[in-house]
Amino acid sequence: MRLRSRAILVNAALLAAAAISLGPLVWMVSVSFMAPGEASNTPAPLLPRAATLENYRQLFAQTGMGRSFANSLFLATAATLLALVFNVSAGYAFAKLRFAGRERIFRLLLGALIIPGQVAMIPLFLLLKQMGLVNTYLGVLLPSVASIFGIFLVRQYALSIPDELLEAGRIDGAGELRLFWSIVLPSLSPILVTLAIFTFLGSWNDFLWPLIVLTDDDRHTLPVALASLTREHVQDSELMMAGGVITVLPVLVLFLVLQRYYIQGLLAGSIKG
Amino acid sequence: MKTSHAGWVFVTPALFMIAVFFLLPVLAALGLSLTDFDIYALARLDNLRFVGGGNYLRLLQTPLFWKALGNTLFFVLVGVPLSIAVSLMAALLLHSAVARGKAIFRTALFAPVVTTLVAVAVIWNYLLHTRYGLINDLLGRIGIPPINWLGDPRWAMPAIILFAVWKNFGFNMVIFLAALQSIPEELYEAARIEGATALQQLRFVTLPSLAPTLVLVSILTMAGYFQLFAEPYVMTQGGPLQSTTSVLYFMYEEGFKWWNLGSASAVAFLLFLLMFAVTLVQSFALRRWSEP
């Protein structure tokens, strides 16, 4: 009987915690379907009186959020593809190919992990300005294509590729590129998914760097556009919640579909060895 | 292609990008922080002057810098322990043998972590609204008068901490969960044979086994919490009365609003030094706890 009451207590606590963590998100979806002004009643209504798509229509027709959505989608996709090319080849080489200075360079990279990205931001801005890349998509992308964390993640996984497999390939006369393409990449596929989802989410959710680099409204990403929307339309909570939904929904769905890979990467990344 | 050549071919593109777009700028930041780079230097480099430690000295005499530093430390010192406590409690609940639907609950509790910060900050702006907000509505039902969460200098930072804990606890929860699952069951059995209660098992088996993870998690969380920016940018614009101006928010305004890029670089460097010192202390603790 004591076990029973403990089970009830634990599950009730979990239910309450889940309500607190999901509640604001569910409420956002609900308010996004409300008529203008409806959410500003006391007590705050939980469900729309008559659900309407008006906020979404207005969002795409008048605020340019459709354009921002396309920008975010493009930037996150491009960042992901580039990150895969740069980090996977480097991570594999650090794990499996011998070259002079490998260990020393890798230790240097790991040491640099503790430097917060913001330290580089101001010179980076000046550098991009010199290169004429301020207010361009390339300016947003370039600093993020190679990441120390990404290289580290791939390296940890690539260490488990058996050397015999690579040697067998070499004896059969395969070149290093061929080896990479037909043996290494297939055996790395789970970590490729992990790296891809990390990069995509990171790029989609990034705020400070796009805010600094992109000055034109029509190049803004969703978070930057949403932040300026909140400053201009302080009263239209229903409209802003619709903006929140289209910003959050894609990454939430992506996470739900690929969460196994995401959690795996989180654990590999946190246990730095 | 020999393998040693291949190694260089494979690492060079990534190393080049990291060197040009990260390591070089970090070094340049140090140099820049010793100059008076401002909007005039942005127009003509001739206007640039070397000022040595001038930026640092002036910052140390700027009340708003100290205010931002104090706010950031408050955020770290209150937010990090709270965040870790909530994460650990959630992980213990999920790990409990009697918990049902673990996979679903884990996903639900983790969901806020992957959401876009700006978007959920907008939601919380409304949840925290003095008159329409659900939070004051709920507090009202148990007889607590409405709190002006984001408009009262005393409450703005606690409100942002509340929001940050909600947003982030799932991240540490997953790490704790993995650590809990790796504690050998025999330890608990031995404790039970000696007649330890559930609370004593937590105190003498679970927490000591988690010690290295605790330190690791606190290093990661602290690094994140030192970088407070988007929350005050979206929710309070650093106010009211600069009560939520963080170091990074101060750097952003100094650099990209007033275009004092030399001074802003000095701010970035001071933040880095502070984070570095704290991380050093924590890694020392981690090493002491990890070694048997």
Side-chain angles (χ1 to χ4, degrees):
Chain A
M1 211 48 205
R2 271 197 55 208
L3 199 67
R4 178 97 190 258
S5 62
R6 207 170 126 209
I8 292 172
L9 209 66
V10 164
N11 287 293
L14 278 172
L15 220 57
I20 291 171
S21 65
L22 291 184
L25 298 173
V26 174
W27 188 73
M28 165 178 71
V29 176
S30 170
V31 173
S32 76
F33 293 118
M34 287 182 189
E38 197 180 333
S40 307
N41 280 315
T42 35
L46 292 179
L47 286 172
R49 229 172 299 139
T52 167
L53 285 170
E54 179 56 25
N55 298 310
Y56 289 94
R57 201 193 59 75
Q58 202 194 337
L59 198 69
F60 284 99
Q62 287 168 23
T63 63
M65 285 289 266
R67 180 68 209 261
S68 305
F69 188 91
N71 292 342
S72 275
L73 195 63
F74 166 72
L75 281 171
T77 309
T80 305
L81 293 176
L82 288 169
L84 283 176
V85 173
F86 282 83
N87 297 326
V88 173
S89 53
Y92 158 64
F94 275 119
K96 284 290 156 187
L97 298 173
R98 302 205 175 282
F99 54 94
R102 183 181 79 169
E103 301 307 318
R104 220 170 336 132
I105 298 172
F106 189 68
R107 263 202 303 275
L108 191 79
L109 284 183
L110 283 189
L113 262 180
I114 61 158
I115 307 173
Q118 291 88 356
V119 177
M121 267 178 189
I122 289 159
L124 201 52
F125 176 81
L126 294 172
L127 178 70
L128 292 178
K129 192 172 175 300
Q130 265 323 285
M131 299 166 75
L133 292 177
V134 167
N135 199 24
T136 64
Y137 297 133
L138 202 58
V140 180
L141 286 173
L142 279 179
S144 67
V145 297
S147 82
I148 300 175
F149 172 74
I151 294 174
F152 174 78
L153 198 67
V154 174
R155 176 187 173 264
Q156 293 307 89
Y157 197 87
L159 285 173
S160 66
I161 301 176
D163 282 324
E164 297 78 42
L165 195 64
L166 300 172
E167 277 316 314
R170 285 191 187 109
I171 289 165
D172 286 346
E176 291 297 327
L177 271 179
R178 176 71 200 277
L179 214 59
F180 181 68
W181 188 254
S182 48
I183 296 182
V184 176
L185 279 186
S187 38
L188 288 180
S189 53
I191 207 70
L192 299 189
V193 181
T194 304
L195 180 63
I197 176 174
F198 262 87
T199 315
F200 192 92
L201 288 185
S203 169
W204 185 276
N205 290 339
D206 192 15
F207 179 59
L208 183 51
W209 186 240
L211 176 73
I212 291 172
V213 175
L214 299 171
T215 46
D216 285 356
D217 285 354
D218 65 350
R219 297 209 175 123
H220 279 173
T221 59
L222 273 175
V224 179
L226 191 61
S228 69
L229 191 71
T230 60
R231 292 189 169 196
E232 288 158 24
H233 296 253
V234 183
Q235 297 306 320
D236 304 335
S237 41
E238 298 79 11
L239 183 70
M240 265 179 277
M241 292 306 155
V245 170
I246 66 159
T247 308
V248 165
L249 206 60
V251 281
L252 216 50
V253 169
L254 193 68
F255 165 71
L256 285 178
V257 176
L258 298 171
Q259 58 170 312
R260 189 161 64 86
Y261 298 96
Y262 186 95
I263 304 265
Q264 203 175 54
L266 190 161
L267 293 175
S270 65
I271 300 156
K272 290 172 185 144
Chain B
M1 187 159 57
K2 290 214 311 250
T3 63
S4 61
H5 291 161
W8 279 109
V9 171
F10 280 123
V11 291
T12 302
L15 288 183
F16 176 79
M17 296 306 276
I18 290 170
V20 173
F21 294 105
F22 185 60
L23 298 179
L24 207 67
V26 167
L27 290 178
L30 185 60
L32 204 59
S33 74
L34 305 175
T35 72
D36 66 347
F37 202 110
D38 58 8
I39 191 148
Y40 302 107
L42 208 55
R44 271 182 64 101
L45 266 177
D46 299 352
N47 295 322
L48 186 68
R49 280 181 316 150
F50 180 80
V51 296
N55 287 323
Y56 293 92
L57 277 178
R58 206 168 37 75
L59 276 177
L60 299 182
Q61 292 161 10
T62 306
L64 186 54
F65 173 75
W66 286 105
K67 178 102 182 139
L69 194 61
N71 291 336
T72 304
L73 286 177
F74 179 75
F75 185 69
V76 170
L77 291 178
V78 178
V80 172
L82 193 64
S83 190
I84 291 178
V86 172
S87 310
L88 185 56
M89 270 190 304
L92 286 171
L93 280 175
L94 272 180
H95 186 63
S96 163
V98 290
R100 298 290 190 83
K102 288 181 181 189
I104 294 171
F105 276 126
R106 193 190 65 182
T107 306
L109 297 185
F110 192 81
V113 174
V114 293
T115 58
T116 312
L117 198 131
V118 173
V120 287
V122 170
I123 309 176
W124 276 73
N125 258 357
Y126 283 88
L127 293 178
L128 291 165
H129 195 283
T130 316
R131 274 196 299 154
Y132 318 127
L134 274 176
I135 291 179
N136 275 349
D137 187 49
L138 290 174
L139 290 178
R141 282 168 207 219
I142 53 170
I144 295 172
I147 296 171
N148 187 1
W149 288 102
L150 295 171
D152 183 333
R154 280 171 308 163
W155 286 109
M157 208 39 135
I160 286 183
I161 291 174
L162 216 61
F163 164 61
V165 170
W166 172 84
K167 172 86 172 72
N168 299 325
F169 81 91
F171 189 89
N172 293 334
M173 176 189 80
V174 168
I175 298 175
F176 279 134
L177 207 53
L180 284 172
Q181 280 157 2
S182 69
I183 301 175
E185 186 54 35
E186 296 86 63
L187 286 181
Y188 290 103
E189 264 165 43
R192 272 194 293 272
I193 288 167
E194 306 219 352
T197 64
L199 215 61
Q200 282 169 331
Q201 288 175 37
L202 179 71
R203 166 78 183 76
F204 294 105
V205 179
T206 310
L207 286 182
S209 312
L210 284 183
T213 312
L214 264 168
V215 180
L216 184 83
V217 156
S218 76
I219 291 176
L220 290 175
T221 312
M222 216 176 253
Y225 275 40
F226 266 117
Q227 299 171 33
L228 175 67
F229 174 74
E231 294 90 336
Y233 185 93
V234 177
M235 297 169 91
T236 56
Q237 284 93 58
L241 297 177
Q242 288 142 359
S243 59
T244 58
T245 299
S246 65
V247 174
L248 214 52
Y249 192 88
F250 179 76
M251 181 202 91
Y252 173 79
E253 295 225 309
E254 190 73 6
F256 297 100
K257 191 170 169 193
W258 311 117
W259 295 102
N260 294 325
L261 294 167
S263 164
S265 298
V267 176
F269 245 88
L270 286 176
L271 179 68
F272 171 45
L273 286 181
L274 183 66
M275 289 174 65
F276 185 67
V278 172
T279 311
L280 219 57
V281 171
Q282 285 172 307
S283 337
F284 181 69
L286 178 64
R287 216 164 304 139
R288 286 205 46 183
W289 255 321
S290 309
E291 276 161 17

